[in-house]
């Protein structure tokens, strides 16, 4: 989808960022080994669109749902010792199929899975930490063997710490469990994400016939209103980020390196939790959370039986949700990072008796297949109130399969944006309580979307209720966090949104004028609320959260764009400021500069070129924010924080000076020559000291030489008229991001950027041959793609 030209009249409109969608055919060949294998399958980790799969011309199955994993048996159609043709036909032309940019086709990995006659089942290993203490942990591993009833089988389970076996056990039969005692265990937490290796071997007649190895962590979870969320017996407060599944300039394509980069940047910023909005996460993202340490709330679905988008398949939810839940839990069950499931997001029918019954059914089913993790339901109290009043903001649409159209969150968000802070008032109404309490009563954790105004009341009214801020406006994050700290029953807060995303075009973008709708017209492409922008740069809104968390050591200075000084702006409830962290605005001398300083200090003094502009109160009582105005002049802007009259911190912004040039940098000095690893090349227009100029944007052409290929090139611009896959792109606020993928061969990759007015820049990265060959046979992409 990211390669399609966007259209003003695209059927999906602003929801999917004006991408049209379409029909696609993927073709590749797989050379099968000479010896037949009893069980072979194609595993699809995610396909956007309705898909049909063929092997050597024979149909082997169909796929549905963009986020559910499917495994299709192919052994009856494989020609062993020969090249086998694999074709996947995808139809994603019915748009909008989602309330945001979904992507199209094979956006997650496809792999060939081969199994012997006697083997562990697909979800055949399940690790549970029964108890953990500094001296010992009790670990149980259950196993299930497929096609093993008539065989004499023995299961050997080892738990390894490096090369050392720290726990071991054996079992027999087609199903069973092994209990191990692990001495002096290293417990997994987000702060100490230690992973052991689980090695399970299946022996038949003295020969190892199947083996599974995976990384696991030892940790326990408990949650109650008195103690809150406890990991390994210690209370944890969730500093959470809601994120969508797309990877910005790469579109929806799931790249391991991109997911690791995202988790690393979020963690470095102070987040310790991620909520997948609003569907199951990719395996690559979960790997990153396991290894780097990030708590995960993995979500089943954004809709149930009531449609939120024209083509979102709510019509079949009743017949498919159990299979989707099975695949979600199979993927997550052994992962220490996953600490909670969300049954759904802003489900309007939960305000009705029928919806409450379905909430109970889904919750009980998730408990039955995974008894260790609590279940939450992210509920928009404002939306549920509207539904209970029969004041649906949705237009009536023809019912599908007997279901009646009801209010959904996109239209409710339009009203919320117009009402602004009134949603806090609405959430406090008795009707809001009545419209949500029955559904909350059947889940373990009550998820409040934009329900900050209810926290204090509900802590008193429902002493056994555990509350989670499942979505919070960026401007409310400080108030929400203080309530988390004050009440043990409130276990954390998730801001909307931690990372910028495609689709829901313009919902949080400030635009010039006096009136505007929630969605913005073409060519808007991003939603706009991200605390990290589309290229992975932190936004000033992040600083408010860091201040509230106690992680902002020096003042953060934001400046509202000087090129829009004095221009009326239409604001959004999902973005509390349009300021950026820069004092480099050439050509804006004398214009009124509106300055925001975020600080935990009691007071802040602002100086421009050494001259005091004034002193303002900051800190918690002032929402960590002090505001100033001053005519712009280039130079040095300094913020000094004081506590009890004593300077405790300071920070500066400087203007770019002298001639500007094109700069390029990357955190990677080398990458794996495996055909998958990525280079993130940051391009900027800056002075000789690296200070980026906001208003000197240039069209930059990119050329890649050597064993690398350009797969994404873009900026954080909210409304670009250029494609993400073009070799030339205009910078935005002086920056752009290019993503280059290894082609699989070792060698030197040279990236060269050229502009008309600010010169050129180059970067050299070495692609290094990986030490070990991949274990699985991977069907790598497609060698033909047609619309």
């Amino acid at each position: 989808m990211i390669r399609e030209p966007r259209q003003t009249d695209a059927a999906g409109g602003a929801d999917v960022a004006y991408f049209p969608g379409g029909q696609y055919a993927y073709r590749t060949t797989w050379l099968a080994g000479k010896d037949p294998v009893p069980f072979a399958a194609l595993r699809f980790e995610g396909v956007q669109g309705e898909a049909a799969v063929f092997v050597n011309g024979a149909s082997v199955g169909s796929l549905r749902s963009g986020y559910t994993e499917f495994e299709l048996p192919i052994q009856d159609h494989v020609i062993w010792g020969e090249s086998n043709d694999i074709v996947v036909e995808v139809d994603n032309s019915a748009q909008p199929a989602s309330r945001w940019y979904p992507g199209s086709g094979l956006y997650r990995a496809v792999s060939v899975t081969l199994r012997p006659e006697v083997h562990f089942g697909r979800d055949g290993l399940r690790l549970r930490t029964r108890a953990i203490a500094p001296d010992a942990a009790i670990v149980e591993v259950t196993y299930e063997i497929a096609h093993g009833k008539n065989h004499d089988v023995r299961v050997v389970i080892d738990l390894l710490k490096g090369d050392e076996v720290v726990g071991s056990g054996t079992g027999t039969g087609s199903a069973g469990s092994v209990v191990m005692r692990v001495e002096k265990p290293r417990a997994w937490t987000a702060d100490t994400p230690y992973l052991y290796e689980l090695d399970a071997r299946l022996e038949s007649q003295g020969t190892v016939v199947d083996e599974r190895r995976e990384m696991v962590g030892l940790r326990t979870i408990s949650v109650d209103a008195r103690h809150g969320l406890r990991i390994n017996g210690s209370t944890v407060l969730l500093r959470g980020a809601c994120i969508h599944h797309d990877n910005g300039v790469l579109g929806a394509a799931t790249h391991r390196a991109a997911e690791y980069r995202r988790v690393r940047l979020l963690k470095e910023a102070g987040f310790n939790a991620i909520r997948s909005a609003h569907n199951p996460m990719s395996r690559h993202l979960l790997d990153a959370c396991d290894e780097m340490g990030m708590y995960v709330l993995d979500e089943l679905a954004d809709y149930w039986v009531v449609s939120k988008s024209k083509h979102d398949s709510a019509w079949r939810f009743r017949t498919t949700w159990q299979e989707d839940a099975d695949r979600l839990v199979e993927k997550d069950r052994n992962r220490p990072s996953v600490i909670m499931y969300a049954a759904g997001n802003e489900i309007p029918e939960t305000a009705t008796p029928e919806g409450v019954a379905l909430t109970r059914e889904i919750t009980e089913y998730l408990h039955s297949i995974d008894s260790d993790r609590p279940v939450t339901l992210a509920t928009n109290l404002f939306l549920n109130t509207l539904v209970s009043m029969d004041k649906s903001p949705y237009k009536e649409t023809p019912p599908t399969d007997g279901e009646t159209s009801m209010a959904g969150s996109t239209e409710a968000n339009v009203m919320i944006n117009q009402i602004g802070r009134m949603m806090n008032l609405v959430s406090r109404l008795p009707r809001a309580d009545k419209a949500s309490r029955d559904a909350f009563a059947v889940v373990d954790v009550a998820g409040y979307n934009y329900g900050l105004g209810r926290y204090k009341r509900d802590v008193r009214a429902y002493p056994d209720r555990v509350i989670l801020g499942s979505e919070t406006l960026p401007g409310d994050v400080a108030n929400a966090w203080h309530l988390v700290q004050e009440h043990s029953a409130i276990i954390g807060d998730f801001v909307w949104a931690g990372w910028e995303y495609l689709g829901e075009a313009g919902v949080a973008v400030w635009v010039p004028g006096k009136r505007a709708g929630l969605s913005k017209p073409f060519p808007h492409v991003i939603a706009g609320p991200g605390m990290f922008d589309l290229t992975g740069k932190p936004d000033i809104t992040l600083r408010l959260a860091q201040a509230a968390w106690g992680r902002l050591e020096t003042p953060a200075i934001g400046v509202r764009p000087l090129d829009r000084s004095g221009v009326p702006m239409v604001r959004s409830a999902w973005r509390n400021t349009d300021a950026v962290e820069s004092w480099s605005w050439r050509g804006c001398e004398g214009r009124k500069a509106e300055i925001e300083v975020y600080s935990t200090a009691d007071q802040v003094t602002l100086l421009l070129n050494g001259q005091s502009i004034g002193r303002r109160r900051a800190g918690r009582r002032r929402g960590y924010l002090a505001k100033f105005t001053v005519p712009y002049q280039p130079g040095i802007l300094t913020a000094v924080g004081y506590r009890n009259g004593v300077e405790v911190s300071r920070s500066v912004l400087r203007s770019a000076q002298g001639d500007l040039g094109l700069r390029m940098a990357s955190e990677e000095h080398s990458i794996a020559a495996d055909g998958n690893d990525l280079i993130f090349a940051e391009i900027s227009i800056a002075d000789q000291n690296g200070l980026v100029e906001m208003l000197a944007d240039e069209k930059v052409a990119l050329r890649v030489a050597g064993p690398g290929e350009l797969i994404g090139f873009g900026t954080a611009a909210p409304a670009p008229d250029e494609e993400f896959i073009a070799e030339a792109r205009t910078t935005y606020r002086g920056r752009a991001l290019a993503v280059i993928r290894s082609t699989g061969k070792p060698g030197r990759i040279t990236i060269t950027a050229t502009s008309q007015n600010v010169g050129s820049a180059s970067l050299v990265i070495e692609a290094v041959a990986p030490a070990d060959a991949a274990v699985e046979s991977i069907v790598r992409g497609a060698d033909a793609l047609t619309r």
Side-chain angles (χ1 to χ4, degrees), residues 12-246:
D15 284 353
V16 297
Y18 304 98
F19 286 92
Q23 296 178 332
Y24 320 87
Y26 296 82
R27 298 179 176 88
T28 193
T29 58
W30 169 56
L31 178 61
K34 293 182 179 181
D35 297 327
V37 175
F39 299 97
L42 284 172
R43 187 180 73 187
F44 295 84
E45 294 184 17
V47 182
Q48 291 289 356
E50 303 291 314
V53 184
F54 304 86
V55 174
N56 296 322
S59 172
V60 296
S62 59
L63 310 170
R64 54 134 192 103
S65 175
Y67 307 93
T68 300
E69 294 192 352
F70 291 94
E71 192 169 283
L72 301 179
I74 63 172
Q75 64 270 2
D76 293 339
H77 306 282
V78 173
I79 303 173
W80 300 100
E82 303 288 341
S83 291
N84 293 263
D85 295 322
I86 300 175
V87 176
V88 181
E89 296 178 353
V90 184
D91 186 350
N92 200 35
S93 56
Q95 296 295 329
S98 174
R99 296 187 300 115
W100 51 83
Y101 174 89
S104 282
L106 307 183
Y107 78 108
R108 290 181 179 172
V110 184
S111 57
V112 175
T113 301
L114 306 176
R115 300 187 180 104
E117 181 180 4
V118 182
H119 59 269
F120 290 107
R122 183 173 63 186
D123 185 33
L125 288 175
R126 306 172 186 176
L127 180 141
R128 300 178 67 187
T129 306
R130 291 294 192 179
I132 192 165
D135 60 330
I138 304 300
V139 178
E140 179 186 33
V141 178
T142 60
Y143 60 86
E144 295 177 1
I145 300 170
H147 304 281
K149 294 182 179 179
N150 298 324
H151 293 265
D152 178 20
V153 293
R154 179 172 179 263
V155 176
V156 180
I157 308 272
D158 289 333
L159 191 68
L160 293 91
K161 178 181 177 182
D163 295 330
E164 178 189 2
V165 176
V166 296
S168 186
T170 60
T172 58
S174 60
S177 64
V178 172
V179 177
M180 299 178 286
R181 177 183 173 91
V182 180
E183 301 292 338
K184 297 182 179 179
R186 295 185 63 175
W188 189 98
T189 71
D191 295 327
T192 59
Y194 186 81
L195 295 176
Y196 291 83
E197 185 175 29
L198 179 66
D199 182 14
R201 301 183 299 281
L202 181 58
E203 298 178 353
S204 179
Q205 299 179 352
T207 301
V208 175
V209 295
D210 194 17
E211 184 175 15
R212 296 281 179 89
R213 300 174 77 96
E214 60 182 294
M215 305 306 294
V216 296
L218 307 186
R219 62 103 184 89
T220 59
I221 307 168
S222 64
V223 64
D224 61 70
R226 181 180 176 186
H227 300 99
L229 173 66
R230 288 185 289 179
I231 304 296
N232 305 320
S234 298
T235 299
V236 168
L237 304 180
L238 301 177
R239 303 183 301 274
C242 295
I243 63 171
H244 272 307
H245 70 285
D246 73 76

Side-chain angles (χ1 to χ4, degrees), residues 288-307:
C289 293
D290 284 345
E291 292 178 28
M292 296 185 183
M294 188 72 78
Y295 299 116
V296 169
L297 192 161
D298 214 358
E299 200 148 85
L300 177 65
D302 182 51
Y303 57 82
W304 288 355
V305 296
V306 174
S307 289

Side-chain angles (χ1 to χ4, degrees), residues 642-664:
Y642 294 88
R643 189 168 290 118
N644 298 322
V646 178
E647 179 181 336
V648 293
S649 59
R650 69 167 53 207
S651 59
V652 300
L653 291 179
R654 300 176 186 271
S655 304
Q657 295 181 334
D659 293 338
L660 300 174
L662 202 60
R663 317 291 179 195
M664 186 157 39

